[in-house]
Amino acid sequence: MRFDLPTPGFSFELLATLGHARAGILHTPRGDIETPVFMPVGTAGTVKAMTADELRAPPLDAKIILGNTYHLFLRPGMEVMSIAGGLHRFAAWDRPILTDSGGFQVFSLAALGEIDDDGVTFRSHIDGTKHRLTPEISMDIQRVLGSDIAMCFDQCPPGDADAATHEVALARTTAWAKRCRVAPHAPGQAVFGIVQGGIDTQRRLRHMDEITALDFDGYALGGLAVGEQLADTYRILDQVAHRLPAERPRYLMGVGTPQDLETAIAAGIDMFDCVMPTRNARNGYLFTRSGPRVNIPNAANRTDLGPIDPDCPCATCRTHSRAYLRHLYLAKEILYARLATLHNLTFYACHVRAIRDRILAEGERA
Amino acid sequence: MRFDLPTPGFSFELLATLGHARAGILHTPRGDIETPVFMPVGTAGTVKAMTADELRAPPLDAKIILGNTYHLFLRPGMEVMSIAGGLHRFAAWDRPILTDSGGFQVFSLAALGEIDDDGVTFRSHIDGTKHRLTPEISMDIQRVLGSDIAMCFDQCPPGDADAATHEVALARTTAWAKRCRVAPHAPGQAVFGIVQGGIDTQRRLRHMDEITALDFDGYALGGLAVGEQLADTYRILDQVAHRLPAERPRYLMGVGTPQDLETAIAAGIDMFDCVMPTRNARNGYLFTRSGPRVNIPNAANRTDLGPIDPDCPCATCRTHSRAYLRHLYLAKEILYARLATLHNLTFYACHVRAIRDRILAEGERA
């Protein structure tokens, strides 16, 4: 079953379901994205340590990456991005890009100034300069970046926020979503709405109804994995994800571990992004198919001539030993970050692809 | 004309000469090295920021890289290197490697302890631990590393050393060269002697006679570009390089700028290594065929969508703009170091290859 999305050129094809889990294809003007999909995070115009060629090469074969509006807005700034003709050209990445709205970073990274119903004033975490983001400004930045999927500007309360804080944030997020829905966007740019509501199921479902009524191209769950208990995250996923519109892609923002992804896919999620594979790689944590994560500086790896993961098809595992990677890590060599990032991103890609294959093999044709 | 070198499996083929300049091929058991050649420096088991695949890929196509005995001896250390089966296997590099002797780093990087006629005691620049290098220990480390070309352990006085210091260093370097000549080395491992003597021509020539009498596979000029005036460097090159044995490869250690290489090749040098292209790249300095080096953080590059060098065949110049590179540099992105290093190393490779082509085209067949 193939569903046209509101934005011309975009459609979502549902191939199979297994319980709430779905396997499909998000068709975009810049290429097809097999779902479920993990999107590597390219914060500042680069997936850290990686070239576009490496991201595109199988077995990693990333079909879409994420760019951060907040970071790119501050540096290199919109004059450069505009002259460069958008983020694809600037970073020489020809496949789809999803940009977040900047909201999450304003609330987590920046020195927050006033927040009101119109928008947010904040100071840059780079140089302290004062800036303002509103739904219209966020959409305009994303228009200039030229991402294939833009996200609504939302307010994401912390995991321990009280009910009153949530209610204010929800009302604002809905009002801002309405403004984002009508703001100009780039040709061929889809827009996703974001459902907030913390870990209260009824609040989540109520907000879901408000946001889905606005008819976005896709829907995201925001405000999860922001400090709440994992059991609460999983409960919300179980109770909310499958209730999001079946004919639209569903995106869980900023999550998570390989287990989180598996749980969320079972709950009905199609798209993911997270800095975990890239950041963990740089910090010495490498994922393996069998057994726990490898902490590469551990003495056990000192003379270990085997790969990080003998079942991994990535160039790092096919070429290099744990002993070599440990040496590069301890010597603070740039090559370490490259090899480790390539491995962890390939691990995530293979992990999600294996789940997708299982849905296609064991599920019902949709 | 092809000359067998003392170590079986090695020969030096002289193809053409143009004045004192030479074009040739250094044949080694692990592959041929067209000379003149620039050897990228792989200090600690990696040419910083680069994979072996990138180094091997045309147009960079590095035929030989350098490894640092001092660094590898301290980290990962010889137990790891021995278990790994040597540097080629450890770093997954299948082409030739030249290792220095560790002498230069002991005198420049480490906290120097006592130096006597037997060897040098020093403290590690990493953790302050105390170590000792002698000619025999240096050769044994290089034997375990399994480099294709090992260098004699020598004493390199600073550029402003007085005559007495030079005389002590020369006598020691000759005595140590004799010990290196008879020390065990790895099968298929050539050994090069090092000529010291600072900027005094007669002293240089006298030491050259002492070292060349020992019949090494090749000869290096050490102790240049260590603080002396450039005119003195060039004078020594002009007066000494072409007097080194014509049937052996001639190696100028740790030099230098593109102009230095051109001058040294004209004087008769065949081989070079220097951290300049890699280190300059990381520090924001990028070489160009026309005009001065680019200082990438300069504001002039902010919205410049052109490449670093329009005539450069490297992937960086074929893919990315100055504006993007400047952004990555300012954002301290790892990708910057990769792209910049690839460009500068390609620049050096093309620079030396162009000079070689000119010698072949305009010179006399040898």
Side-chain angles (χ1 to χ4, degrees), chain A residues 44-46 48-51 54 75-76 79-80 83-84 90-92 282 302-303 305 319-320 323-324 327-328 330-331 333-335 337-338, chain B residues 44-46 48-51 54 75-76 79-80 83-84 90-92 282 302-303 305 319-320 323-324 327-328 330-331 333-335 337-338:
Chain A
T46 157
K48 288 193 189 303
M50 303 290 285
T51 62
E54 284 169 337
R75 187 171 57 194
E79 186 195 348
V80 172
I83 291 171
F90 187 61
R282 298 194 303 282
R302 201 173 73 94
T303 55
L305 300 181
T319 313
H320 295 296
Y324 184 59
H327 164 67
L328 295 179
L330 293 178
E333 286 289 347
I334 289 169
L335 182 57
R338 299 183 50 175
Chain B
T46 158
K48 287 194 190 302
M50 304 290 285
T51 62
E54 285 168 338
R75 187 170 61 195
E79 186 196 348
V80 172
I83 290 171
F90 187 61
R282 297 194 304 281
R302 200 174 73 93
T303 57
L305 301 181
T319 313
H320 295 296
Y324 185 58
H327 163 68
L328 295 179
L330 293 178
E333 287 288 348
I334 290 169
L335 182 57
R338 298 183 50 175

Side-chain angles (χ1 to χ4, degrees), chain B residues 1-338:
Chain B
M1 282 188 296
R2 187 159 169 167
F3 306 97
D4 284 336
L5 303 183
T7 299
F10 286 81
S11 63
F12 182 61
E13 189 175 357
L14 208 51
L15 296 172
T17 58
L18 181 62
H20 292 313
R22 301 132 55 94
I25 301 171
L26 174 55
H27 299 275
T28 84
R30 266 207 186 79
D32 290 350
I33 302 158
E34 292 85 3
T35 61
V37 64
F38 178 81
M39 304 181 282
V41 177
T43 304
T46 158
V47 174
K48 287 194 190 302
M50 304 290 285
T51 62
D53 279 347
E54 285 168 338
L55 291 165
R56 279 188 294 253
L60 174 46
D61 196 15
K63 294 294 172 64
I64 176 172
I65 62 173
L66 190 137
N68 280 117
T69 288
Y70 169 85
H71 289 88
L72 293 165
F73 167 68
L74 293 179
R75 187 170 61 195
M78 299 324 291
E79 186 196 348
V80 172
M81 290 307 314
S82 177
I83 290 171
L87 184 54
H88 289 87
R89 283 196 200 171
F90 187 61
W93 173 257
D94 56 356
R95 293 185 179 180
I97 295 175
L98 180 149
T99 44
D100 65 6
S101 69
F104 184 78
Q105 281 75 25
V106 165
F107 291 106
S108 61
L109 266 186
L112 199 58
E114 46 179 328
I115 169 168
D116 54 48
D117 289 343
D118 182 52
V120 186
T121 303
F122 61 96
R123 289 191 180 277
S124 160
H125 74 292
I126 300 170
D127 61 7
T129 49
K130 198 169 171 180
H131 301 277
R132 184 163 177 80
L133 276 182
T134 66
E136 288 77 16
I137 295 172
S138 170
M139 291 305 292
D140 194 57
I141 295 170
Q142 295 182 78
R143 181 187 63 74
V144 172
L145 293 175
S147 56
D148 302 272
I149 301 173
M151 298 301 299
C152 282
F153 189 66
D154 64 331
Q155 183 177 347
C156 173
D160 59 355
D162 60 20
T165 304
H166 272 294
E167 289 302 334
V168 171
L170 283 193
R172 222 170 242 156
T173 295
T174 300
W176 290 356
K178 288 176 182 167
R179 287 160 60 186
C180 288
R181 188 73 186 85
V182 298
H185 49 95
Q189 183 177 49
V191 181
F192 279 21
I194 302 176
V195 174
Q196 291 286 352
I199 56 170
D200 181 298
T201 305
Q202 292 316 309
R203 204 159 54 206
R204 276 275 170 190
L205 293 174
R206 172 161 49 90
H207 195 239
M208 185 187 82
D209 289 340
E210 292 179 17
I211 296 296
T212 55
L214 298 174
D215 196 31
F216 286 103
D217 295 292
Y219 296 98
L221 295 181
L224 289 176
V226 292
E228 78 279 8
Q229 295 288 316
L230 189 62
D232 289 325
T233 319
Y234 284 6
R235 176 176 49 79
I236 291 294
L237 282 172
D238 285 340
Q239 296 173 339
V240 178
H242 70 276
R243 293 197 167 94
L244 287 162
E247 68 280 9
R248 302 283 159 92
R250 302 162 175 168
Y251 165 28
L252 177 58
M253 302 185 79
V255 178
T257 66
Q259 180 57 54
D260 292 345
L261 268 55
E262 203 167 336
T263 303
I265 292 169
I269 295 290
D270 306 304
M271 301 169 68
F272 301 89
D273 80 285
C274 192
V275 296
M276 182 170 281
T278 42
R279 184 175 292 165
N280 271 10
R282 297 194 304 281
N283 290 336
Y285 294 103
L286 302 170
F287 292 94
T288 64
R289 280 155 184 75
S290 54
R293 287 186 315 184
V294 170
N295 187 13
I296 198 68
N298 276 356
N301 299 312
R302 200 174 73 93
T303 57
D304 189 335
L305 301 181
I308 293 300
D309 181 345
D311 297 321
C312 181
C314 83
T316 303
C317 287
R318 285 184 288 107
T319 313
H320 295 296
S321 64
R322 292 183 179 206
Y324 185 58
L325 290 165
R326 177 179 187 269
H327 163 68
L328 295 179
Y329 177 86
L330 293 178
K332 297 183 170 52
E333 287 288 348
I334 290 169
L335 182 57
Y336 167 76
R338 298 183 50 175

